[in-house]
Amino acid sequence: MVEPAPVARAARPAAERASGATARTPVRSAWRSALVGSALGLAAVAAGPFLLDTYTTNILIRALFLAALVVGVDILWGYAGVLTFGQSAFFGVGAYACALVFTHYGFGPGWAVGALALGVLGAAGVAALVGWLAFYHGASPLYASIITLALPIVLVQAIFAGGRFTGSSSGLSAFPTYYWSVGTWFTIAGVYLVAVTAAAWLFVRSDFGRLLVAIRENEERCAYLGVPVSGVKIALMAASGAVGAGAGFGYAAFTNVVAPELGGFLLGTELLIWTALGGRGTLIGPVLGTLGIDVTASYLTGALPFLWSLLIGIAFVAVIVLLPQGVAPVVASGARRLLGRGPAAPSPLALAPAPARAETREGVAAPLKVENLSRRYGSLKVLDGVSFEAQAGAILSIVGPNGAGKTTLMRCLSDGGERTGGRVHVNGVEIGRGAPQTVAALGVGRSFQNTNLFDTLTVGECLTLARYKRDGARKFARRLALDLPQPALDILSATGLSDRLGLETRHLSHGMKRGLELAMVLATEPDVLLLDEPTAGLTKAERTAIGGVLVDLARAHGLCTLLIEHDLDFVREISDRVVVLHQGELLMEGTVEEVVASDLVKAVYAGERAETAP
Amino acid sequence: MTILALDIVTTALILFVVAAGLMVILGVMKLINFAHGAFLTVGGYTAMVVTDAGLSPWLAAPAALAFGFGAGLLIERVIVRPLYDRPLDAILATWGLGIVITQLITLGFGREVQFAASPMTGTLPLGDTEYSAWRLVVSGVALAVGAGLTALLYLTRFGLNARAVIMNEPLARGLGIDSGRVRATTFGLGAGLACAAGALITPLLSVDPNMGLPWLVNSFMLVLVSGVSIPSLMLASLLLGGAQVLVSSFVSPILGGMTIVVLAAALLRINPKGLSLG
Amino acid sequence: MNVPPVAPALEVEGLVSGYGGAMVLRGVSLRLAPGEIVAVLGKNGMGKSTLLKTVMGFLPAREGRVRLGGEDVTGRAPHLVARAGVAHAPQEFTIFQDLTVAENLRLGVSSDADYRARLGALEGVFPRMLERLRQRAGTLSGGEQKMLLMSRALLARPRVMLVDEISEGLQPTMIDRMAEALRAAREGHGVAILLVEQHLAFALSVADRYAVLKLGEIIEEGAAGDPAAAGALADHLKV
């Protein structure tokens, strides 16, 4: 592995303070643990057939295939926050691809590869379709769950409707297959599970894996940073579908029997139970949970048929209510206490200035042009006929009393789906109905009023995430060096964040969170910067520092900056022009002096303006 | 033709009464109760216990209502209350509860299919045709439940408080409404309605530990499409239930079984608010 | 003084609260005798609404106590604070838009019998509300919605009213009506009123005393009748 750059060493003490123990870099430790884990797993797979009786081996083969399926559930639910009831359907697709091809078309190595490809691609296609249905901008997480719930139900009905072809409710059996020994099948299933788990292990510890966590914690914020959230989820769904279909194919080829239950809703919920009990978002927990529960179940359902399911049900409810993270974290922290090691510290990150962008901003004089913008909620007009232009290299402040529509204006400028009338041009392009990531791609960067960042991500991970639009995200590795535009670096050093790259953001002070928020927006290298109360709750010194950065951004870097502010002194100090909103209308636009001198504005702020409603 | 129209109307009303308890809980508590199917099953077994004990089968549904209400209060306190801030976890926990209930029933009554006596058998003459008497009774009860729920919501103090909690919980609390108690009562009511519905549909079917499951998925879809409104739920039941009857009669009963799920998913994709009439 | 001490209707002592890590109130103390009207003045973001929300129990008090008539209610849930005799007229999301005027008013009173008995009392204050009982509250004009908000608080016959920026966006004549209603409530039922305001003239015309809240602390207190105070206060509140 590459030795971290010298700058990164400076970041280490902070990371050590955070974890309170010796820091290990997770990049290396992820590869090391994946290798060690794979070796142990493969050793167990190799030893299994010699140590276990045939009955147990048989049961374990099924459990190993199901555990590979569960890995997909855990990545979707545990990491990306998508509660999926339908993962069993992909298992079913893989299994039926095997059974249908071998029963009706032919059997042999070519047919087997073809059937596997059919199952995997078919499942990926179905998954992508499901993803396209379930994940669109503004979709509720519940809707995604509904679609994944509908999927296995539809699949099972389709199998029923297939009559002789699919074997209807009794399924297909006794089709030709490879009658290898149980030991061989055990090895195949075991190697498949180890490979899937190791790949997933590296994946969730990569930059892309952190991106998934960021989506789970704050999907909205990710979209505004230019991350194509829906696309990422669809791709994830397709990949997990493909892996699940592979497992289903293997299981069908091994057992020589397929039944509709393999793709059914009940198996889908069982997968969730195993994941929850093992510990969502830990990968190893759900895998071990699946193996443990499925094997124990096979033994106990004979002796205590209903009692076993009852106990699992009770354990499931108790874990969801009392221990939402499942059993694995408890075991892991116990083990760590025993071994005296802290959790792996986040990767040290070396920061460097990004090269200036080739394209210049001088081409468009007014990067932001707003024409007759309106936003209604039913009969309520929150914004009505607002028009203005914002110039490159200038700070335009938006002021107005509570409820004037300031934040709504920001929303309409950064999300094409928000406004109910009018047009917004960014760099000369009409934003249309574009989702936030589309508008972000046009060059709009937006900071938010509240500082809910990504709680479990570190400062460095947040910054890496913010560079997604420029640098993408590595899928099986961590980046050790990050290039950021100079203004972002300035803010990080001014707020002391550059010494705390390894710290999780929930431990940051309010001022640092504001600084990070601004640095993240700047890291996307926007042309138009929308800032919603960037100094709320800051001390005088912090305000002055941020004000200085903003002025410098406009003057030296030519950024077009829009600012919502309550603190009128601050507005007066840094603004070039001011827009006054009142009850959703643009009351006046002018220079700072003009606005301050205006009697109308004074009247509005004193709250003495006559009510206009009938 | 008359039979088909009657099938559509009675199917819709049966779906309505089965889904009503789920909607009540979703409306006030913003919580999807995946134990709803198990509650239906409990209602079915309550009917069986009542008739086996030699009591009048007409007592089955009221007994199930009372039992469900009491059990609902207890369940809300123990399982549901900690999960108000975690809606997706609440789905899972109530699903787990459903498993527990199903297994308890299996342990107590066995897993085989059983039958409960029906208060009414045979058919009733209706115009120029004859139609299943109990289906007509259940339909009448469904209409009464719809009217009763509407009266409860719009004519009583509890209904006013519940609507206030639905619309704006912090404001309601600021006015002295104990939203925790409103939620607990609502869960009890929803569970009671589900059990009563289970007792009502039992004479049409048979009783087994998993009898509630297919109803759960259809109820869930109907409620999501309808939103929280009694007339909307009636309408959704009529549209989707009607489609189910038509597909089952003219295309295939198997496709009929997934009609509601597919139509609901499509409707929600086109309009995430569903049919909500407000 | 030999007069037996009367417990204050509302007593706030060293209150600290805020959102997440940011403290908005930093040790606020206030006392309201029964029948007293106190105005808390200050610009946006100085912690005025936070003060009311903490008294109501919507936000936990990190430090300090809240007492009603001598009874400690710190940490109680909002509905229990309300039942202890506090009516809160918030600034945002003030009424149930989709309920009728009558239903909104009923929700202010714990029993329907009391509601019917008291409804007539609105005749003298906001007769327009009685004309609009069946109308949906969301269709009222902005000023009428404020009347409804105030009527609901009056019908509750509370010991303490917490009134958040009632004058915002109102016409001068309407502001006078609100002032009259507040005075009538004090005289009629001896209610103590904590008034949070930015509108200086209105606040000083109604209140007995004032307190200025700045960055979460009370920086100045005085009697509202003192004409010299008004000029100094205007400085605190200026744009």
Side-chain angles (χ1 to χ4, degrees):
Chain A
M1 295 300 104
V2 188
E3 189 62 24
V7 188
R9 292 184 186 278
R12 263 199 182 168
E16 281 171 16
R17 276 198 300 279
S19 68
T22 320
R24 295 169 288 137
T25 64
V27 186
R28 290 200 237 159
S29 94
W31 279 93
R32 200 191 310 127
S33 53
L35 283 173
V36 172
S38 302
L40 285 175
L42 291 175
V45 169
F50 300 104
L51 301 175
L52 303 167
D53 59 80
T54 317
Y55 178 66
T56 311
T57 317
N58 256 310
I59 294 166
L60 259 174
I61 294 171
R62 174 190 136 101
L64 289 168
F65 280 126
L66 286 174
L69 181 64
V70 159
V71 168
V73 174
D74 193 34
I75 289 190
L76 280 170
W77 181 34
Y79 288 88
V82 178
L83 179 60
T84 166
F85 290 94
Q87 216 62 15
S88 53
F90 306 128
F91 195 76
V93 167
Y96 268 86
C98 171
L100 290 172
V101 168
F102 289 0
T103 307
H104 299 296
Y105 301 104
F107 174 70
W111 288 109
V113 171
L116 177 62
L118 182 72
V120 167
L121 294 177
V126 170
L129 184 70
V130 165
W132 174 79
L133 271 172
F135 310 124
Y136 55 96
H137 176 66
S140 74
L142 182 60
Y143 182 70
S145 298
I146 296 165
I147 293 292
T148 62
L149 177 63
L151 175 67
I153 292 170
V154 170
L155 179 73
V156 167
Q157 297 292 339
I159 291 170
F160 283 163
R164 286 252 176 90
F165 183 68
T166 56
S168 195
S169 59
S170 49
L172 296 169
S173 57
F175 44 83
T177 185
Y178 294 101
Y179 293 100
W180 293 325
S181 73
V182 169
T184 310
W185 280 110
F186 184 81
T187 311
I188 292 172
V191 170
Y192 187 67
L193 175 63
V194 169
V196 165
T197 311
W201 180 265
L202 291 174
F203 177 66
V204 299
R205 277 159 184 74
S206 70
D207 287 336
F208 207 90
R210 301 313 290 170
L211 175 72
L212 297 184
V213 173
I215 290 177
R216 180 186 74 204
E217 293 201 342
N218 201 333
E219 183 169 334
E220 192 77 2
R221 189 67 59 100
C222 283
Y224 282 103
L225 288 171
V227 176
V229 174
S230 306
V232 167
K233 284 188 180 174
I234 292 171
L236 205 59
M237 195 82 179
S240 72
V243 169
F249 179 92
Y251 178 70
F254 160 63
T255 56
N256 211 6
V257 178
V258 294
E261 289 74 37
L262 291 182
F265 163 68
L266 283 178
L267 179 62
T269 56
E270 273 186 278
L271 302 175
L272 284 176
I273 292 175
W274 299 334
T275 309
L277 289 179
R280 61 179 104 155
T282 61
L283 282 183
I284 299 302
V287 165
L288 295 179
T290 305
L291 297 179
I293 296 172
D294 199 45
V295 172
T296 320
S298 301
Y299 277 100
L300 288 189
T301 40
L304 313 157
F306 310 123
L307 196 60
W308 169 249
S309 301
L310 179 66
L311 292 178
I312 286 289
I314 291 172
F316 178 54
V317 175
V319 162
I320 291 285
V321 174
L322 304 173
L323 209 67
Q325 295 314 314
V327 178
V330 180
V331 175
S333 76
R336 264 199 296 273
R337 206 168 303 137
L338 223 59
L339 299 172
R341 290 207 299 190
S347 164
L349 195 66
L351 299 181
R357 281 165 61 196
E359 70 267 41
T360 53
R361 298 190 173 96
E362 283 140 27
V364 187
L368 181 69
K369 217 191 288 186
V370 179
E371 286 169 21
N372 210 15
L373 183 72
S374 62
R375 174 67 169 113
R376 291 159 184 248
Y377 295 93
S379 61
L380 183 69
K381 286 184 195 168
V382 181
L383 285 176
D384 192 18
V386 173
S387 302
F388 64 89
E389 286 184 6
Q391 310 297 323
I395 296 177
L396 176 70
S397 289
I398 302 188
V399 302
N402 280 338
K406 302 187 294 285
T407 299
T408 308
L409 175 63
M410 288 293 189
R411 215 178 288 140
C412 291
L413 298 182
S414 52
D415 179 353
E418 277 286 332
R419 68 189 187 286
T420 45
R423 292 149 76 82
V424 176
H425 294 270
V426 175
N427 284 329
V429 183
E430 223 281 309
I431 65 170
R433 290 276 152 218
Q437 62 263 31
T438 318
V439 180
L442 291 173
V444 173
R446 177 184 171 194
S447 88
F448 287 76
Q449 206 170 355
N450 59 5
T451 47
N452 291 331
L453 290 160
F454 308 100
D455 277 353
T456 62
L457 263 59
T458 65
V459 172
E461 287 166 351
C462 285
L463 292 167
T464 310
L465 175 71
R467 290 295 287 177
Y468 180 84
K469 205 169 75 168
R470 302 273 160 213
D471 300 341
R474 300 186 180 187
K475 292 193 181 59
F476 292 98
R478 279 300 182 84
R479 74 181 39 255
L480 296 173
L482 187 67
D483 294 344
L484 290 176
Q486 192 59 47
L489 291 175
D490 293 345
I491 290 198
L492 292 176
S493 54
T495 46
L497 283 166
S498 38
D499 299 331
R500 291 178 174 76
L501 295 177
L503 199 62
E504 290 186 3
T505 63
R506 64 192 151 144
H507 302 303
L508 294 178
S509 73
H510 183 70
M512 284 186 175
K513 280 185 181 171
R514 284 253 171 249
L516 178 58
E517 165 90 37
L518 192 54
M520 283 166 67
V521 177
L522 292 176
T524 65
E525 301 188 31
D527 298 322
V528 176
L529 189 58
L530 307 178
L531 302 174
D532 198 345
E533 300 205 32
T535 67
L538 295 191
T539 64
K540 185 76 190 156
E542 288 167 329
R543 270 170 211 239
T544 315
I546 288 198
V549 171
L550 293 181
V551 169
D552 180 60
L553 274 171
R555 305 282 185 281
H557 298 268
L559 218 63
C560 166
T561 306
L562 247 75
L563 183 75
I564 292 184
E565 257 306 334
H566 264 310
D567 181 350
L568 293 180
D569 294 332
F570 185 71
V571 167
R572 208 174 301 181
E573 276 164 34
I574 71 164
S575 311
D576 296 291
R577 291 182 75 77
V578 178
V579 161
V580 185
L581 285 184
H582 180 58
Q583 297 188 347
E585 290 176 39
L586 194 146
L587 193 68
M588 96 172 270
E589 189 198 340
T591 63
V592 176
E593 292 73 27
E594 286 165 5
V595 169
V596 169
S598 156
D599 290 333
L600 193 58
V601 173
K602 278 185 194 160
V604 164
Y605 263 84
E608 283 164 2
R609 190 158 182 256
E611 186 200 2
T612 47
Chain B
M1 204 54 218
T2 323
I3 295 288
L4 186 67
L6 280 170
D7 276 347
I8 289 175
V9 171
T10 53
T11 301
L13 287 167
I14 290 168
L15 283 169
F16 170 82
V17 78
V18 166
L22 192 67
M23 183 190 71
V24 165
I25 290 174
L26 176 69
V28 178
M29 310 172 77
K30 317 273 183 293
L31 182 134
I32 291 171
N33 171 29
F34 258 39
H36 186 71
F39 289 166
L40 291 168
T41 310
V42 170
Y45 279 87
T46 312
M48 201 183 81
V49 169
V50 166
T51 51
D52 283 359
L55 297 168
S56 158
W58 290 99
L59 288 175
L65 180 70
F67 180 75
F69 185 78
L73 288 184
L74 184 71
I75 289 165
E76 194 274 342
R77 186 75 198 81
V78 178
I79 294 175
V80 178
R81 200 169 289 185
L83 298 173
Y84 283 135
D85 301 331
R86 298 188 267 146
L88 290 184
D89 281 0
I91 296 182
L92 292 174
T94 49
W95 173 252
L97 173 68
I99 295 175
V100 171
I101 293 174
T102 306
Q103 295 308 323
L104 285 174
I105 287 174
T106 312
L107 284 172
F109 297 92
R111 68 191 310 179
E112 62 277 8
V113 171
Q114 299 176 64
F115 295 91
S118 175
M120 281 180 92
T121 50
T123 58
L124 284 180
L126 209 76
D128 54 353
T129 179
E130 299 261 319
Y131 201 75
S132 154
W134 187 244
R135 276 184 82 93
L136 291 171
V137 170
V138 174
S139 302
V141 172
L143 286 172
V145 165
L149 278 180
T150 310
L152 180 70
L153 268 180
Y154 290 92
L155 300 179
T156 68
R157 184 82 196 186
F158 171 78
L160 180 63
N161 289 355
R163 280 185 295 146
V165 171
I166 292 174
M167 288 172 193
N168 186 337
E169 186 174 341
L171 179 52
R173 296 178 73 200
L175 294 173
I177 295 170
D178 185 347
S179 57
R181 215 170 108 187
V182 169
R183 283 161 180 252
T185 315
T186 308
F187 196 85
L189 181 66
L193 278 174
C195 288
L200 282 172
I201 58 175
T202 295
L204 298 173
L205 314 151
S206 52
V207 181
D208 73 86
N210 285 309
M211 66 179 269
L213 186 61
W215 295 93
L216 164 69
V217 176
N218 281 344
S219 305
F220 174 64
M221 292 295 176
L222 284 172
V223 167
L224 288 172
V225 166
S226 78
V228 180
S229 146
I230 293 161
S232 294
L233 185 60
M234 283 271 187
L235 180 67
S237 305
L238 193 62
L239 287 179
L240 301 189
Q244 182 189 31
V245 172
L246 292 175
V247 172
S248 302
S249 316
F250 295 112
V251 187
S252 111
I254 291 171
L255 290 180
M258 62 193 239
T259 307
I260 292 181
V261 171
V262 172
L263 276 182
L267 270 174
L268 288 169
R269 179 66 163 92
I270 297 162
N271 181 11
K273 290 199 176 66
L275 296 170
S276 184
L277 299 176
Chain C
M1 286 214 254
N2 295 326
V3 186
V6 181
L10 170 68
E11 185 179 15
V12 173
E13 196 183 305
L15 208 57
V16 175
S17 85
Y19 307 87
M23 284 304 126
V24 182
L25 292 185
R26 303 162 196 263
V28 171
S29 298
L30 280 172
R31 270 161 167 261
L32 274 75
E36 193 178 25
I37 305 184
V38 173
V40 173
L41 307 164
K43 288 196 281 186
N44 276 332
M46 294 302 169
K48 303 192 304 296
S49 294
T50 308
L51 171 63
L52 300 193
K53 283 182 196 165
T54 312
V55 170
M56 279 307 290
F58 284 116
L59 283 174
R62 308 287 172 94
E63 281 173 41
R65 315 303 311 172
V66 177
R67 294 187 194 90
L68 290 172
E71 188 187 358
D72 193 334
V73 299
T74 323
R76 280 198 201 167
H79 69 270
L80 296 177
V81 177
R83 287 179 190 179
V86 182
H88 182 206
Q91 188 184 9
E92 289 169 332
F93 306 114
T94 53
I95 56 170
F96 297 97
Q97 304 272 336
D98 290 331
L99 297 181
T100 64
V101 170
E103 285 171 329
N104 268 284
L105 293 173
R106 263 172 77 195
L107 284 167
V109 190
S110 54
S111 84
D112 283 347
D114 283 348
Y115 162 73
R116 282 188 291 272
R118 293 175 194 172
L119 189 62
L122 285 182
E123 185 66 52
V125 208
F126 297 118
R128 205 185 301 178
M129 285 301 105
L130 296 179
E131 296 161 16
R132 306 259 163 125
L133 285 176
R134 289 166 162 276
Q135 195 173 329
R136 215 168 58 86
T139 64
L140 296 174
S141 76
E144 287 168 337
Q145 294 196 6
K146 294 255 176 180
M147 280 195 227
L148 174 56
L149 173 64
M150 189 58 82
S151 304
R152 186 182 66 201
L154 293 173
L155 283 188
R157 301 267 165 94
R159 276 196 285 181
V160 176
M161 271 169 72
L162 309 175
V163 183
D164 200 346
E165 305 239 1
I166 194 76
S167 70
E168 193 203 5
L170 289 185
Q171 305 174 34
T173 52
M174 188 68 83
I175 291 180
D176 293 342
R177 298 269 298 282
M178 289 295 168
E180 276 167 38
L182 289 172
R183 287 190 206 105
R186 177 244 295 267
E187 265 130 46
H189 317 290
V191 58
I193 303 174
L194 186 60
L195 205 59
V196 153
E197 268 300 334
Q198 291 195 67
H199 191 313
L200 189 56
F202 165 70
L204 292 183
S205 76
V206 183
D208 305 308
R209 289 189 292 122
Y210 69 86
V212 177
L213 197 59
K214 188 167 188 185
L215 293 173
E217 289 174 64
I218 289 184
I219 54 161
E220 197 180 316
E221 285 183 86
D226 182 3
L233 283 175
D235 278 347
H236 286 304
L237 298 173
K238 72 163 187 258
V239 175

